[in-house]
Amino acid sequence: MVANGVWLSLAKAAEYLDVSKDTVLRRAVEWTDEPVPGKVRTKYLVLGADTRQDRRYYLPDLERWLSAIPGRGLATA
C-alpha cells in the first residue's frame, strides 16, 4: 500500500520547495532503501485504479532538502 501523502508530483515538489521543476529533476534519483545525501528519491507509482504510472517524489527527502537550504529551515539559536 502506498501512502499518498508521502509522495508528491513534480509540480507539487517544486512548489513545496519554492524552486523550479528543473531544479527538482536535477536532484532526482531512482528509489533506494537508504536516503542519498542531497538527492530526492523517486518512484513510478500507480496512485489509483485505472490511472497511469506517474513519477512521484518522496516527501521526507524534500523536507531534508528544505531544512538544508540556508535561511529556510527551522534554525534554533
Side-chain angles (χ1 to χ4, degrees):
M1 181 177 191
V2 174
N4 289 341
V6 177
W7 299 95
L8 298 179
S9 68
L10 176 58
K12 291 293 184 184
E15 179 182 333
Y16 182 75
L17 296 171
D18 193 27
V19 298
S20 70
K21 291 178 190 176
D22 188 55
T23 299
V24 176
L25 288 172
R26 284 194 307 268
R27 297 242 184 155
V29 294
E30 292 300 316
W31 181 260
T32 62
D33 288 334
E34 296 296 320
V36 179
K39 300 292 183 178
V40 177
R41 292 174 290 171
T42 67
K43 278 189 177 183
Y44 284 92
L45 303 173
V46 176
L47 299 177
D50 299 322
T51 62
R52 67 172 197 248
Q53 199 174 41
D54 286 325
R55 189 175 190 187
R56 298 293 186 207
Y57 300 80
Y58 192 53
L59 181 58
D61 287 350
L62 296 169
E63 290 171 343
R64 271 191 291 282
W65 181 5
L66 185 62
S67 67
I69 298 172
R72 298 282 295 276
L74 298 174
T76 56

